[in-house]
């Protein structure tokens, strides 16, 4: 590792281990995970169910405590980073509050963090525009489609200016057309805001289309089996998915997944 | 429309059943009176009739059927007798300009209602406070919840006189003892419902607040409290009915002269069954109105909160 990349590192995991103690005995959710995510990276995590993707993301967010190894976020412990509100987290379900309209859902973190009313309004309008939801701020969540709700939850994570965005299968429950559209939007948003994004997905095309780096994981115990650097340019129209480079990376990801699976499936 | 028909059908069946029940319940009294008045009754003599089946008596003395629905002091008053008594002690009193006379159910209803409302407010307040404590502190959860449950296993009818005597000995009387019994019954559903409601946000929603580094206090106001509202209203509806029962029970052991409980008690002293039944109905109608009112408030509040989807 050169000094240059370490100075840019936003998230660094070294020999990370996490064992859950369950009633059926210990479950090794993460074993010896090493990864560096640099500023401005878009890193996707892909792997079969139960390989520890969510757990890894939750460790970054200080929602789980690792049982071994080290991890730093912005050079500090994840918990310190959490207290400095270094990241926004997007869950698989939008988790919007049914009793708040879209505007008040998006400003929820701002209220909690004590932003002024004027600042809240300003940021609300900015992020509404980023996720193309302007005009819907007065609607309640149940009046919006699933895709719009998920966009609102992304806006909520963007509203306070955290540099890191942690996204756990944010589009997992959406149909393909909506998903394509949101992927395109997400890329634009990433280019405009220069955030560092960690993104969990089950979809190979989604991972390849979005990422600068794809982390392939495998289960029992959860570990990283391959890290693939994407040669694709930052500018990515949807039809890039038909290009030979794209297909080649997708192929490599698939191979990685298959190797990790072993004879299990 | 369909529900209307269903409701009316059920109501008709109940009333028909009630009228039918009046026959065997009242026939012996009617026959005794008729015999005294010189009518021909089969068999002759109250003593002979005592051991006979009531239904057989009805069949053998069909002339007496109408009379079973119009006795002065029937064992079981007929629906229209109760309705007439209800009207005489409410609407008619208002028309006479004496709604608050001692004979008026409006007066007695108000006495009970005021204790109910006071007790309900106390019980709800206590219930919410306890629920907040239980949700925030494991110690309270372990120490308070069992006592709350135990408190409800003691029959209130046994406890009410003690509460009243104890309070009387320290100089508390009037509306307060009744309200306290009422609160005693109504705090429990509120505790149970509120605890459930405050705990209803799922792990993901709590995690989300954690990522904002929100304090427990902020989490309470932003998430737990609003999420608990539907649960609260369900509990309140149970709680207010329990409050009314508590207020009535609180009127029984003191030999109170005012209140629906006093009417029940007075009616049973003097064998005024019509009065008992009309007081019972007044209580039921009052409870229904209170629950319906809470239902309206619930709808308005939840709608304003955007939760009525
Ligand atoms: N809180 C927990 N307690 C016990 N075991 C857990 C807990 N959370 C996760 N696990 C276990 O850890 C392993 C990894 O789970 P994780 O949720 O990280 O997988 P994942 O890769 O996100 O899977 P999916 O693709 O299905 O979301 C699984 O075997 C899971 O059962
Ligand atoms: Mg997961």
């Amino acid at each position: 590792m050169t000094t240059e990349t370490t100075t840019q590192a936003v998230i660094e995991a070294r020999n990370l281990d996490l064992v859950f103690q369950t009633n059926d005995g210990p479950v090794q959710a993460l074993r010896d995970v090493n990864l560096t995510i640099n500023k401005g990276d878009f890193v996707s995590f892909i792997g079969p169910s139960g390989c520890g993707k969510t757990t890894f993301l939750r460790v970054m967010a200080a929602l789980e405590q690792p049982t071994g190894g080290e991890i730093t976020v912005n050079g500090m412990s994840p918990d310190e980073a959490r207290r400095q509100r270094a990241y926004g987290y997007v869950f698989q379900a939008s988790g919007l509050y049914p009793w708040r309209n879209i505007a008040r859902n998006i400003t929820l973190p701002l209220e909690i963090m004590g932003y002024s009313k004027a600042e809240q309004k300003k940021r609300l309008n900015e992020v509404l525009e980023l996720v193309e939801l302007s005009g819907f701020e007065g609607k309640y969540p149940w009046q919006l489609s699933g895709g719009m709700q998920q966009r609102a939850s992304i806006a909520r994570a963007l509203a306070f200016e955290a540099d890191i965005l942690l996204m756990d299968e944010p589009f997992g429950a959406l149909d393909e057309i909506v998903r394509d559209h949101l992927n395109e939007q997400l890329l634009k948003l990433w280019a405009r805001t220069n955030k560092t994004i960690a993104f969990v997905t089950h979809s190979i095309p989604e991972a390849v289309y979005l990422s600068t780096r794809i982390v392939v994981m495998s289960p029992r115990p959860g570990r990283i089996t391959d890290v693939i650097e994407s040669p694709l340019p930052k500018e990515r129209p949807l039809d890039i998915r038909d290009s030979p480079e794209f297909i080649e990376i997708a192929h490599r990801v698939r191979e990685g997944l298959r190797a990790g699976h072993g004879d299990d499936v | 429309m369909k529900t209307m028909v269903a409701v009316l059908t059920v109501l008709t069946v109940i009333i028909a059943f009630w009228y039918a029940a009046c026959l065997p319940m009242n026939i012996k009294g009617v026959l005794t009176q008729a015999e005294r008045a010189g009518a021909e009754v089969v068999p002759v003599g109250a003593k002979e009739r005592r051991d006979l089946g009531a239904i057989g008596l009805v069949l053998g003395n069909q002339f007496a059927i109408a009379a079973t629905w119009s006795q002065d002091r029937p064992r079981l008053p007929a629906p229209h007798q109760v309705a007439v008594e209800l009207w005489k002690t409410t609407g008619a009193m208002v028309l006479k300009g004496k709604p608050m006379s001692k004979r008026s159910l409006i007066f007695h209803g108000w006495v009970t209602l005021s204790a109910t409302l006071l007790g309900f407010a106390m019980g709800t307040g206590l219930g919410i406070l306890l629920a907040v404590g239980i949700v925030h502190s494991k110690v309270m959860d372990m120490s308070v919840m069992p006592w709350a449950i135990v408190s409800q296993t003691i029959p209130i009818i046994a406890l009410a006189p003690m509460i009243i005597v104890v309070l009387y000995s320290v100089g508390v009387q009037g509306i307060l003892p009744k309200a306290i019994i009422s609160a005693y019954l109504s705090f429990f559903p509120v505790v149970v419902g509120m605890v459930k409601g405050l705990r209803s946000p799922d792990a993901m929603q709590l995690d989300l607040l954690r990522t904002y580094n929100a304090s427990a206090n902020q989490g309470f106001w932003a998430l737990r409290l609003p999420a608990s509202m539907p649960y609260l209203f369900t509990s309140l509806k149970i709680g207010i009915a329990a409050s009314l029962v508590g207020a009535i029970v609180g009127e029984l052991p003191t030999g109170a002269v005012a209140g629906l409980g006093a009417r029940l008690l007075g009616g049973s002293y003097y064998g005024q069954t019509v009065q008992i039944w009309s007081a019972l109905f007044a209580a039921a109608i009052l409870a229904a109105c209170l629950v319906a009112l809470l239902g309206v408030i619930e709808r308005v509040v939840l709608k304003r909160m955007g939760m009525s989807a």
Side-chain angles (χ1 to χ4, degrees):
Chain A
M1 183 124 321
T2 67
T3 38
E4 200 199 285
T5 47
T6 13
T7 51
Q8 286 183 322
V10 171
I11 294 170
E12 274 199 285
R14 292 282 161 265
N15 313 101
L16 205 63
D17 276 301
L18 197 150
V19 180
F20 285 112
Q21 298 301 337
T22 71
N23 291 336
D24 307 330
V27 174
Q28 181 122 36
L30 295 174
R31 171 181 288 175
D32 197 25
V33 168
N34 288 286
L35 186 73
T36 302
I37 300 179
N38 292 322
K39 179 145 186 56
D41 270 354
F42 195 129
V43 179
S44 283
F45 295 85
I46 193 164
S49 196
C51 69
K53 307 180 293 291
T54 296
T55 305
F56 192 18
L57 219 59
R58 288 174 61 85
V59 168
M60 295 178 200
L63 296 173
E64 303 287 358
Q65 290 304 316
T67 46
E70 274 165 44
I71 179 165
T72 57
V73 176
N74 283 344
M76 43 195 147
S77 77
D79 207 52
E80 278 168 326
R82 178 180 70 83
R83 271 184 257 125
Q84 297 197 355
R85 286 131 179 184
Y87 59 84
Y89 201 111
V90 180
F91 295 85
Q92 179 163 5
S94 71
L96 299 171
Y97 291 179
W99 56 86
R100 285 177 173 242
N101 63 21
I102 296 306
R104 296 203 52 233
N105 263 293
I106 294 176
T107 54
L108 171 72
L110 304 179
E111 277 172 36
I112 286 173
M113 296 173 192
Y115 284 74
S116 74
K117 278 268 175 268
E119 185 70 17
Q120 286 183 25
K121 183 104 193 75
K122 181 171 148 273
R123 294 190 175 219
L124 171 66
N125 289 330
E126 279 170 19
V127 293
L128 275 173
E129 203 223 324
L130 272 178
V131 300
E132 296 182 12
L133 273 182
S134 303
F136 290 94
E137 51 266 45
K139 294 262 188 267
Y140 280 92
W142 51 270
Q143 295 172 303
L144 267 54
S145 70
M148 290 161 101
Q149 290 181 16
Q150 202 48 272
R151 261 144 66 193
S153 86
I154 293 172
R156 183 179 56 187
L158 292 171
F160 56 106
E161 291 192 327
D163 292 332
I164 307 169
L165 205 50
L166 305 174
M167 308 176 89
D168 191 357
E169 298 189 49
F171 309 138
L174 305 176
D175 71 66
E176 204 137 341
I177 312 268
V178 176
R179 192 186 255 234
D180 280 352
H181 180 61
L182 291 183
N183 281 342
E184 229 183 337
Q185 277 191 320
L186 183 60
L187 268 190
K188 278 194 204 138
L189 190 151
W190 171 64
R192 272 175 70 180
T193 56
N194 198 32
K195 288 191 192 293
T196 307
I197 299 183
F199 188 97
V200 171
T201 179
H202 272 132
S203 154
I204 297 175
E206 187 172 68
V208 178
Y209 176 67
L210 291 173
S211 323
T212 54
R213 226 144 31 110
I214 300 153
V215 176
V216 182
M217 297 179 69
S218 85
R220 282 174 294 263
R223 63 196 184 279
I224 294 178
T225 49
D226 199 2
V227 177
I228 302 164
E229 298 280 343
S230 172
L232 298 178
K234 212 168 172 178
E235 190 79 12
R236 299 176 188 180
L238 269 178
D239 54 21
I240 202 171
R241 293 181 297 183
D242 300 323
S243 71
E245 293 93 337
F246 189 98
I247 291 167
E248 199 194 306
I249 306 166
H251 182 72
R252 207 180 135 191
V253 174
R254 191 169 294 114
E255 289 294 302
L257 285 174
R258 201 169 288 155
H261 257 293
D263 303 326
D264 276 5
V265 180
Chain B
M1 193 56 217
K2 231 176 169 174
T3 50
M4 233 5 217
V5 172
V7 168
L8 287 178
T9 310
V10 171
L11 195 65
T12 313
V13 169
I14 290 175
I15 290 180
F17 185 78
W18 186 350
Y19 272 110
C22 288
L23 300 176
M25 288 296 283
N26 300 337
I27 190 72
K28 286 183 185 169
V30 168
L31 291 182
T32 308
Q33 260 181 350
E35 194 168 43
R36 246 182 247 145
E40 278 203 24
V41 172
V42 218
V44 177
K47 227 168 155 190
E48 323 301 314
R49 289 192 298 272
R50 201 175 57 204
D51 299 325
L52 287 180
I55 296 186
L57 285 177
V58 173
L59 295 177
N61 301 280
Q62 293 185 7
F63 73 94
I65 285 179
T68 61
W69 296 324
S70 58
Q71 271 185 298
D72 253 358
R73 292 181 182 190
R75 271 201 197 161
L76 176 65
H80 68 270
Q81 290 179 292
V82 175
V84 167
E85 170 76 7
L86 268 176
W87 170 251
K88 274 202 298 200
T89 49
T90 55
M93 292 284 189
V94 175
L95 293 184
K96 274 193 274 177
K98 298 192 283 188
M100 283 312 196
S101 113
K102 280 255 146 70
R103 290 211 46 212
S104 158
L105 271 185
I106 298 176
F107 162 71
H108 292 286
W110 167 248
V111 170
T112 302
L113 177 64
S114 51
T116 301
L117 292 180
L118 182 60
F120 177 64
M122 294 180 352
T124 303
L126 177 69
I128 292 176
L129 283 182
L130 285 179
V132 171
I134 285 169
V135 168
H136 273 276
S137 137
K138 191 146 182 92
V139 177
M140 267 193 83
D141 188 11
M142 312 268 280
S143 58
V144 173
M145 204 55 180
W147 289 108
I149 292 168
V150 165
S151 77
Q152 302 302 302
T153 62
I154 304 169
I156 190 65
I157 204 81
L159 200 62
M162 289 193 269
I163 293 178
I164 288 174
V165 168
V166 167
L167 288 177
Y168 186 81
S169 70
V170 296
V172 179
Q173 44 183 318
I175 190 177
L176 203 54
K178 287 199 277 175
I180 286 173
I181 293 166
S182 177
Y184 185 91
L185 286 190
S186 64
F187 88 96
F188 186 68
V190 176
V191 172
V192 174
M194 257 329 247
V195 166
K196 192 159 194 280
L198 291 172
R199 285 193 178 143
S200 66
D202 58 25
M204 190 204 81
Q205 287 181 307
L206 296 171
D207 281 344
L208 184 68
L209 284 179
R210 238 179 100 69
T211 68
Y212 302 152
N213 195 24
S215 67
N217 199 23
Q218 288 173 321
F220 176 80
W221 291 107
L223 175 61
R224 289 189 189 273
L225 190 65
S228 72
M229 280 303 131
Y231 296 82
L232 175 64
F233 277 108
T234 306
S235 306
L236 289 184
K237 285 191 219 163
I238 303 168
I240 193 126
S243 279
L244 185 66
V245 171
I248 291 175
V249 169
E251 286 162 352
L252 297 180
T254 48
V257 288
L260 293 176
R263 289 290 280 186
L264 285 174
L265 207 60
S268 69
Y269 275 155
Y270 303 111
Q272 295 285 2
T273 43
V274 181
Q275 179 183 323
I276 298 179
W277 280 81
S278 63
L280 273 181
F281 268 80
I285 292 167
L286 192 57
C289 290
L290 291 172
V291 171
L293 181 67
L294 276 173
V296 170
I297 298 175
E298 173 182 27
R299 277 232 297 285
V300 172
V301 169
L302 294 191
K303 196 179 165 93
R304 286 198 53 183
M305 287 174 73
M307 286 169 88
S308 60

